[in-house]
Amino acid sequence: MSNSEGTSESITTQAWRGFASDNYAGVHPEVLKALVRVNSGHQVAYGDDLITAELHERMVGLFGQEVGVYPVFNGTGANVVALSSITRQWEAVICTKTAHVNMDEGGAPEKVAGIKLWTVPEVNGKLTPDAIRSAAHDFGFVHYAQPGAITIAQSTELGSVYSIEEVTALSDCAHELGLRVHMDGARLANAVVSLNCSVADMTINAGIDILSFGGTKNGMLMGEVIVVLNPDVVQGVEYFRKSFMQLNSKMRFASAQMIAMLSDDLWLRSARHANEMAQYLAEKVEGIRGITLASTVDANAVFARMPADVVERLQTKWRFYTWDAPDLVRWMCSWDTKPNDIDLFVADIEKAMAG
Ligand SMILES: Cc1ncc(COP(=O)(O)O)c(C=O)c1O
């Protein structure tokens, strides 16, 4: 069915809401407005524009010192470029087995950047100093891919959040071993509001060398920003960004989105809301017999265990993922999740559990 402008009516009439991913949500209206605002006149391309210069100033203010600021298109790109710039060709990166770079980037770190990943077990989604040490050995032995860096996701892929002390302990351990430290902050804002701390305290002051600063999951149209926090150990970000196809020629539109996020703390407001919705969902499902939470709910993800047949029934109506096992589910809340979405969802969960 098409209207006179040729667009499908069903696209609007079938607007539905779900819990599969924070990426299923649309773009925050304040971000859209910012895009329109910068869409006048000409600007120099490839990042030498006034808006990207303003983003740089904003980031310097946020981190309290000079930082390198490199907008890119997506999270996988941010991670691959960031990891490339802190490792040498023969070096490997230590991460958890459940890390997004390992499980969900289509092998991009290996395929695109040629980086060997040494994967280690996680605890509640987190890397630990002991796990780093278990892979950081055989330095100087040519047959072993030489550990060069670690990467951690904050918040983690399992919805937990590292405390500042935990981040610092990991950085200290890595640095003592001569490794550089990357933080995958696809959900950085959710972690910052969860810890109620400054982003500087959770990153640069906790020993992070380079950061993928997330935006898309939190309401941007597309874009993340690589932030170089310790230039002494980072090399060639600008060249990797170009050769890995992450250099946006109309950069002003990427930068304007992130400026909008940082304006009036939109990034924190949106993440706080998503986290609160996850808490609300967790509290409601925790009271349902037969359902147990599978992980701490520190940010905007709820992981739960429930009978696999119930999961299947629910998935005929609601979109969400199972995670590694048919009875383990992941429910994500986003900046636009409404309490009513959760009430409707939980009512269906209750019905499905009752058979
Ligand atoms: C922890 C983490 N890192 C990075 C990303 C970004 O990936 P993408 O390349 O899909 O933007 C995601 C998205 O799911 C993620 O969960």
Side-chain angles (χ1 to χ4, degrees), residues 97-114:
K97 189 168 177 297
T98 50
H100 194 266
V101 290
N102 182 48
M103 299 295 287
D104 292 299
E105 298 192 351
E110 293 97 333
K111 205 180 287 180
V112 177

Side-chain angles (χ1 to χ4, degrees), residues 137-144 146-147:
H137 51 77
D138 280 311
F139 291 101
F141 182 57
V142 292
H143 302 281
Y144 189 67
Q146 297 290 288

Side-chain angles (χ1 to χ4, degrees), residues 23 74-77 79 100 105 153 155 157 184 186-187 217 224:
N23 278 333
N74 58 39
T76 299
N79 290 342
H100 194 266
E105 298 192 351
S155 56
E157 294 78 358
D184 172 354
R187 298 189 181 88
K217 292 179 193 305
E224 323 273 296

Side-chain angles (χ1 to χ4, degrees), residues 25-26 33 52 58 78 85 101 108 110 119 178 210 221 236 245 247 254 262 315 328 337:
K33 267 192 221 147
T52 303
R58 295 284 192 110
S85 68
V101 290
E110 293 97 333
T119 60
I210 190 165
L221 170 60
M245 296 166 282
L247 179 62
L262 299 181
Q315 282 179 321
L328 178 61
T337 301

Side-chain angles (χ1 to χ4, degrees), residues 46-62:
Y46 296 107
D48 289 327
D49 59 272
L50 296 175
I51 293 121
T52 303
E54 185 186 334
L55 176 63
H56 177 239
E57 288 311 307
R58 295 284 192 110
M59 287 289 185
V60 169
L62 201 57

